[in-house]
mmCIF file of all heavy atoms in Angstrom:
data_model
loop_
_atom_site.group_PDB
_atom_site.id
_atom_site.type_symbol
_atom_site.label_atom_id
_atom_site.label_comp_id
_atom_site.label_asym_id
_atom_site.label_seq_id
_atom_site.Cartn_x
_atom_site.Cartn_y
_atom_site.Cartn_z
ATOM 1 N N VAL K 22 -27.018 -3.854 -24.342
ATOM 2 C CA VAL K 22 -26.559 -4.314 -25.649
ATOM 3 C C VAL K 22 -25.587 -5.474 -25.454
ATOM 4 O O VAL K 22 -24.627 -5.356 -24.687
ATOM 5 C CB VAL K 22 -25.876 -3.175 -26.428
ATOM 6 C CG1 VAL K 22 -25.401 -3.662 -27.792
ATOM 7 C CG2 VAL K 22 -26.815 -1.993 -26.580
ATOM 8 N N PHE K 23 -25.861 -6.577 -26.130
ATOM 9 C CA PHE K 23 -25.008 -7.762 -26.060
ATOM 10 C C PHE K 23 -24.692 -8.237 -27.469
ATOM 11 O O PHE K 23 -25.583 -8.306 -28.304
ATOM 12 C CB PHE K 23 -25.711 -8.898 -25.308
ATOM 13 C CG PHE K 23 -26.117 -8.523 -23.914
ATOM 14 C CD1 PHE K 23 -27.361 -7.991 -23.668
ATOM 15 C CD2 PHE K 23 -25.236 -8.690 -22.863
ATOM 16 C CE1 PHE K 23 -27.742 -7.635 -22.389
ATOM 17 C CE2 PHE K 23 -25.599 -8.335 -21.570
ATOM 18 C CZ PHE K 23 -26.856 -7.808 -21.336
ATOM 19 N N ASP K 24 -23.443 -8.587 -27.719
ATOM 20 C CA ASP K 24 -23.016 -9.144 -28.996
ATOM 21 C C ASP K 24 -22.384 -10.494 -28.722
ATOM 22 O O ASP K 24 -21.569 -10.621 -27.802
ATOM 23 C CB ASP K 24 -21.985 -8.243 -29.685
ATOM 24 C CG ASP K 24 -22.569 -6.909 -30.083
ATOM 25 O OD1 ASP K 24 -23.631 -6.880 -30.706
ATOM 26 O OD2 ASP K 24 -21.937 -5.893 -29.745
ATOM 27 N N VAL K 25 -22.752 -11.487 -29.509
ATOM 28 C CA VAL K 25 -22.211 -12.831 -29.330
ATOM 29 C C VAL K 25 -22.089 -13.532 -30.678
ATOM 30 O O VAL K 25 -22.868 -13.258 -31.596
ATOM 31 C CB VAL K 25 -23.092 -13.653 -28.346
ATOM 32 C CG1 VAL K 25 -24.473 -13.862 -28.892
ATOM 33 C CG2 VAL K 25 -22.438 -14.945 -27.954
ATOM 34 N N GLU K 26 -21.092 -14.391 -30.794
ATOM 35 C CA GLU K 26 -20.916 -15.229 -31.981
ATOM 36 C C GLU K 26 -21.480 -16.599 -31.646
ATOM 37 O O GLU K 26 -21.103 -17.198 -30.640
ATOM 38 C CB GLU K 26 -19.427 -15.366 -32.322
ATOM 39 C CG GLU K 26 -18.749 -14.066 -32.688
ATOM 40 C CD GLU K 26 -19.028 -13.636 -34.109
ATOM 41 O OE1 GLU K 26 -19.341 -14.501 -34.956
ATOM 42 O OE2 GLU K 26 -18.939 -12.429 -34.365
ATOM 43 N N ILE K 27 -22.385 -17.106 -32.473
ATOM 44 C CA ILE K 27 -22.999 -18.410 -32.249
ATOM 45 C C ILE K 27 -22.631 -19.324 -33.410
ATOM 46 O O ILE K 27 -22.790 -18.955 -34.576
ATOM 47 C CB ILE K 27 -24.530 -18.288 -32.123
ATOM 48 C CG1 ILE K 27 -24.855 -17.429 -30.901
ATOM 49 C CG2 ILE K 27 -25.179 -19.663 -32.030
ATOM 50 C CD1 ILE K 27 -26.317 -17.190 -30.679
ATOM 51 N N VAL K 28 -22.132 -20.520 -33.093
ATOM 52 C CA VAL K 28 -21.738 -21.478 -34.120
ATOM 53 C C VAL K 28 -22.988 -22.232 -34.573
ATOM 54 O O VAL K 28 -23.266 -23.338 -34.133
ATOM 55 C CB VAL K 28 -20.655 -22.453 -33.600
ATOM 56 C CG1 VAL K 28 -20.224 -23.399 -34.708
ATOM 57 C CG2 VAL K 28 -19.451 -21.679 -33.086
ATOM 58 N N ALA K 29 -23.768 -21.562 -35.390
ATOM 59 C CA ALA K 29 -24.987 -22.133 -35.983
ATOM 60 C C ALA K 29 -25.365 -21.239 -37.156
ATOM 61 O O ALA K 29 -25.111 -20.033 -37.122
ATOM 62 C CB ALA K 29 -26.120 -22.176 -34.952
ATOM 63 N N PRO K 30 -25.968 -21.819 -38.185
ATOM 64 C CA PRO K 30 -26.371 -21.006 -39.335
ATOM 65 C C PRO K 30 -27.477 -20.015 -38.958
ATOM 66 O O PRO K 30 -28.277 -20.259 -38.052
ATOM 67 C CB PRO K 30 -26.850 -22.024 -40.363
ATOM 68 C CG PRO K 30 -27.080 -23.282 -39.624
ATOM 69 C CD PRO K 30 -26.268 -23.238 -38.377
ATOM 70 N N MET K 31 -27.521 -18.911 -39.676
ATOM 71 C CA MET K 31 -28.475 -17.840 -39.388
ATOM 72 C C MET K 31 -29.936 -18.314 -39.340
ATOM 73 O O MET K 31 -30.662 -17.892 -38.437
ATOM 74 C CB MET K 31 -28.315 -16.694 -40.392
ATOM 75 C CG MET K 31 -28.990 -15.425 -39.922
ATOM 76 S SD MET K 31 -28.855 -13.980 -41.008
ATOM 77 C CE MET K 31 -27.232 -14.099 -41.687
ATOM 78 N N PRO K 32 -30.408 -19.170 -40.242
ATOM 79 C CA PRO K 32 -31.816 -19.591 -40.145
ATOM 80 C C PRO K 32 -32.140 -20.297 -38.824
ATOM 81 O O PRO K 32 -33.228 -20.121 -38.277
ATOM 82 C CB PRO K 32 -31.996 -20.544 -41.337
ATOM 83 C CG PRO K 32 -30.953 -20.114 -42.309
ATOM 84 C CD PRO K 32 -29.778 -19.677 -41.467
ATOM 85 N N ARG K 33 -31.207 -21.075 -38.283
ATOM 86 C CA ARG K 33 -31.447 -21.751 -37.001
ATOM 87 C C ARG K 33 -31.479 -20.740 -35.861
ATOM 88 O O ARG K 33 -32.286 -20.853 -34.943
ATOM 89 C CB ARG K 33 -30.383 -22.810 -36.752
ATOM 90 C CG ARG K 33 -30.557 -24.018 -37.676
ATOM 91 C CD ARG K 33 -29.564 -25.111 -37.406
ATOM 92 N NE ARG K 33 -29.723 -25.602 -36.047
ATOM 93 C CZ ARG K 33 -28.717 -26.040 -35.307
ATOM 94 N NH1 ARG K 33 -27.493 -26.050 -35.774
ATOM 95 N NH2 ARG K 33 -28.934 -26.479 -34.076
ATOM 96 N N VAL K 34 -30.589 -19.750 -35.891
ATOM 97 C CA VAL K 34 -30.573 -18.725 -34.846
ATOM 98 C C VAL K 34 -31.869 -17.919 -34.912
ATOM 99 O O VAL K 34 -32.522 -17.686 -33.893
ATOM 100 C CB VAL K 34 -29.334 -17.805 -34.972
ATOM 101 C CG1 VAL K 34 -29.385 -16.684 -33.946
ATOM 102 C CG2 VAL K 34 -28.049 -18.618 -34.823
ATOM 103 N N PHE K 35 -32.269 -17.527 -36.115
ATOM 104 C CA PHE K 35 -33.509 -16.766 -36.279
ATOM 105 C C PHE K 35 -34.705 -17.547 -35.732
ATOM 106 O O PHE K 35 -35.550 -17.001 -35.016
ATOM 107 C CB PHE K 35 -33.730 -16.407 -37.754
ATOM 108 C CG PHE K 35 -34.962 -15.586 -37.980
ATOM 109 C CD1 PHE K 35 -34.969 -14.225 -37.737
ATOM 110 C CD2 PHE K 35 -36.136 -16.183 -38.431
ATOM 111 C CE1 PHE K 35 -36.115 -13.458 -37.930
ATOM 112 C CE2 PHE K 35 -37.285 -15.435 -38.630
ATOM 113 C CZ PHE K 35 -37.277 -14.077 -38.374
ATOM 114 N N ALA K 36 -34.790 -18.824 -36.060
ATOM 115 C CA ALA K 36 -35.898 -19.647 -35.567
ATOM 116 C C ALA K 36 -35.897 -19.705 -34.046
ATOM 117 O O ALA K 36 -36.948 -19.594 -33.407
ATOM 118 C CB ALA K 36 -35.802 -21.057 -36.154
ATOM 119 N N ALA K 37 -34.737 -19.843 -33.437
ATOM 120 C CA ALA K 37 -34.654 -19.909 -31.970
ATOM 121 C C ALA K 37 -35.071 -18.597 -31.317
ATOM 122 O O ALA K 37 -35.532 -18.585 -30.181
ATOM 123 C CB ALA K 37 -33.236 -20.289 -31.546
ATOM 124 N N LEU K 38 -34.936 -17.495 -32.026
ATOM 125 C CA LEU K 38 -35.305 -16.181 -31.493
ATOM 126 C C LEU K 38 -36.777 -15.839 -31.706
ATOM 127 O O LEU K 38 -37.302 -14.946 -31.037
ATOM 128 C CB LEU K 38 -34.459 -15.085 -32.162
ATOM 129 C CG LEU K 38 -32.965 -15.126 -31.904
ATOM 130 C CD1 LEU K 38 -32.263 -14.111 -32.797
ATOM 131 C CD2 LEU K 38 -32.650 -14.884 -30.442
ATOM 132 N N THR K 39 -37.432 -16.512 -32.637
ATOM 133 C CA THR K 39 -38.778 -16.085 -33.028
ATOM 134 C C THR K 39 -39.875 -17.124 -32.842
ATOM 135 O O THR K 39 -41.051 -16.772 -32.891
ATOM 136 C CB THR K 39 -38.790 -15.632 -34.503
ATOM 137 O OG1 THR K 39 -38.355 -16.724 -35.327
ATOM 138 C CG2 THR K 39 -37.886 -14.425 -34.709
ATOM 139 N N GLU K 40 -39.521 -18.382 -32.654
ATOM 140 C CA GLU K 40 -40.542 -19.427 -32.535
ATOM 141 C C GLU K 40 -40.771 -19.765 -31.062
ATOM 142 O O GLU K 40 -39.830 -20.123 -30.344
ATOM 143 C CB GLU K 40 -40.124 -20.664 -33.316
ATOM 144 C CG GLU K 40 -40.055 -20.399 -34.814
ATOM 145 C CD GLU K 40 -39.597 -21.592 -35.620
ATOM 146 O OE1 GLU K 40 -39.566 -22.728 -35.071
ATOM 147 O OE2 GLU K 40 -39.268 -21.401 -36.797
ATOM 148 N N SER K 41 -42.011 -19.668 -30.624
ATOM 149 C CA SER K 41 -42.359 -19.880 -29.214
ATOM 150 C C SER K 41 -41.838 -21.203 -28.669
ATOM 151 O O SER K 41 -41.309 -21.254 -27.561
ATOM 152 C CB SER K 41 -43.868 -19.796 -29.011
ATOM 153 O OG SER K 41 -44.315 -18.492 -29.278
ATOM 154 N N ALA K 42 -41.984 -22.276 -29.417
ATOM 155 C CA ALA K 42 -41.535 -23.589 -28.934
ATOM 156 C C ALA K 42 -40.034 -23.610 -28.665
ATOM 157 O O ALA K 42 -39.577 -24.274 -27.734
ATOM 158 C CB ALA K 42 -41.908 -24.673 -29.940
ATOM 159 N N LEU K 43 -39.271 -22.892 -29.465
ATOM 160 C CA LEU K 43 -37.819 -22.842 -29.258
ATOM 161 C C LEU K 43 -37.445 -21.838 -28.178
ATOM 162 O O LEU K 43 -36.507 -22.068 -27.416
ATOM 163 C CB LEU K 43 -37.108 -22.530 -30.578
ATOM 164 C CG LEU K 43 -37.239 -23.629 -31.626
ATOM 165 C CD1 LEU K 43 -36.681 -23.164 -32.964
ATOM 166 C CD2 LEU K 43 -36.554 -24.897 -31.161
#
Side-chain angles (χ1 to χ4, degrees):
V22 180
F23 302 91
D24 295 310
V25 64
E26 297 281 336
I27 297 178
V28 182
M31 196 179 324
R33 288 183 61 213
V34 176
F35 182 80
L38 296 172
T39 59
E40 295 178 14
S41 294
L43 294 172

